[in-house]
Amino acid sequence: MSVKYIPVQWNRNKWLYDGVMLAGVCAFLWLFIHVSPELLSHEHPINAQVHNARAFGACAFVMLSIILAIGPLARLDRRFLPLLYNRRHFGVMTVFVALSHASYIVNWYFAFSSSNKYEALLFANTSFGQVAGFPFEVFGIFALAVLLILATTSHDFWMKFLTPPVWKRLHYLIYPAYASVVAHVSLGILQEQQNHVFTGIFLVGAGAVALLHILAALHERRAGDPKADAGQGGLVRVCDVGDIAEGRARITLLPGGDRVAVFRQDGRLSAISNACAHQNGPLGEGRVIDCFVTCPWHGFQYDVTNGRSPAPFTETIPTYNLSLQGRSVMVDPTANPPGTYVEPVPVPDATPTEDPA
């Protein structure tokens, strides 16, 4: 992200990811439009325009549910990490599907209004004091506005411009947006159905997203980073040197709240910040090859001896000073400035440890 801003850096994985995603969207829409009418019963017959609108709306809800499920799934099982790499592509496509849904709604329900159709969308129903007939449109408008903001700012240019912490906080709006979608669907299409097949699918989907986030939080709490033990001379103990596999790292929570990743490469130890400069991805979960660790989230790389990305990239992260006291790995909790070279600490009589992965 530090070299050149271009719309999308396409590669084979991105083409495959987007191709599978587009095929899934087309399959869902075809099944909803051509198969689901027999499964969905309505109090009054609906025309093709309304049914198409609901197809795109249901597709957008399913896509948003999958987007929010990818994060906890990747934390529970690393095999889901490839889905996380290009999740922003998923979000942008979801916006286009949601816009199609909104277009169908506006151009059908309000096309013949005596006032402007967008004004009619906002003011046709103002029954805010009741549940039955509540103007659920406001929830859909809010969710769509948030999705548009997130899609517009999804490129790394905005992350660099806003800074990663601000960008990350901005994109947390996905959660209130999803809650608004749930409210929009609950107070909208579900009120008109006699057959509750779709109701059940909707509730299972929303419940699964909530359950996955709860399970991921419990998993991280149980397997949380161990706190470094107090040592001598201001140093803190990380672990026994034998606990670090060759090509891997041990992540430790320092007293100040930062996380350090201590890597073992070619029988030598190096320590860098665990937070990637891109999106604060967990570098300690990546694998070291030729002194470079690859962030498991989006593929950014850093030299573990100096915290610098390979040229021509210019990202840097803090490094830490290390020492060995017997078999104990000791780290100075005060970080060096980003990009500072630290001589790796050799492990006496080290023999490469087989990577358990």
Side-chain angles (χ1 to χ4, degrees), residues 254-334:
L254 295 174
D258 294 325
R259 286 177 169 81
V260 61
V262 180
F263 289 91
R264 181 169 178 166
Q265 166 73 5
D266 290 335
R268 301 185 301 170
L269 301 177
S270 297
I272 58 175
S273 169
N274 188 54
C276 177
H278 180 217
Q279 284 190 30
N280 295 326
L283 292 175
E285 296 180 10
R287 185 173 182 177
V288 178
I289 299 178
D290 295 331
C291 280
F292 284 95
V293 60
T294 300
C295 180
W297 279 13
H298 299 103
F300 280 64
Q301 293 184 315
Y302 303 89
D303 188 325
V304 297
T305 65
N306 58 28
R308 294 179 177 273
S309 293
F313 301 100
T314 59
E315 282 75 33
T316 58
I317 56 174
T319 59
Y320 291 84
N321 295 322
L322 282 173
S323 65
L324 280 177
Q325 294 181 5
R327 298 288 297 176
S328 296
V329 179
M330 311 299 293
V331 62
D332 186 340
T334 302

Side-chain angles (χ1 to χ4, degrees), residues 64-101:
L64 196 55
S65 298
I66 294 174
I67 289 171
L68 287 177
I70 289 174
L73 283 172
R75 294 197 296 273
L76 291 168
D77 191 329
R78 292 173 58 84
R79 287 174 294 183
F80 287 98
L81 278 173
L83 299 179
L84 186 68
Y85 297 157
N86 299 306
R87 187 171 53 172
R88 283 181 285 179
H89 291 210
F90 212 141
V92 171
M93 185 171 289
T94 301
V95 171
F96 284 110
V97 174
L99 282 172
S100 300
H101 166 72

Side-chain angles (χ1 to χ4, degrees), residues 79-164:
R79 287 174 294 183
F80 287 98
L81 278 173
L83 299 179
L84 186 68
Y85 297 157
N86 299 306
R87 187 171 53 172
R88 283 181 285 179
H89 291 210
F90 212 141
V92 171
M93 185 171 289
T94 301
V95 171
F96 284 110
V97 174
L99 282 172
S100 300
H101 166 72
S103 178
Y104 271 111
I105 293 296
V106 171
N107 290 322
W108 174 255
Y109 283 102
F110 303 100
F112 305 103
S113 173
S114 57
S115 59
N116 179 279
K117 57 185 178 182
Y118 298 104
E119 294 178 357
L121 174 65
L122 295 172
F123 303 114
N125 183 4
T126 57
S127 303
F128 290 96
Q130 58 186 33
V131 176
F134 187 91
F136 60 91
E137 295 87 353
V138 296
F139 293 108
I141 293 171
F142 172 78
L144 182 59
V146 170
L147 291 177
L148 285 169
I149 292 172
L150 300 188
T152 303
T153 60
S154 64
H155 192 265
D156 281 340
F157 166 80
W158 290 101
M159 185 184 306
K160 189 76 171 180
F161 178 74
L162 296 172
T163 72

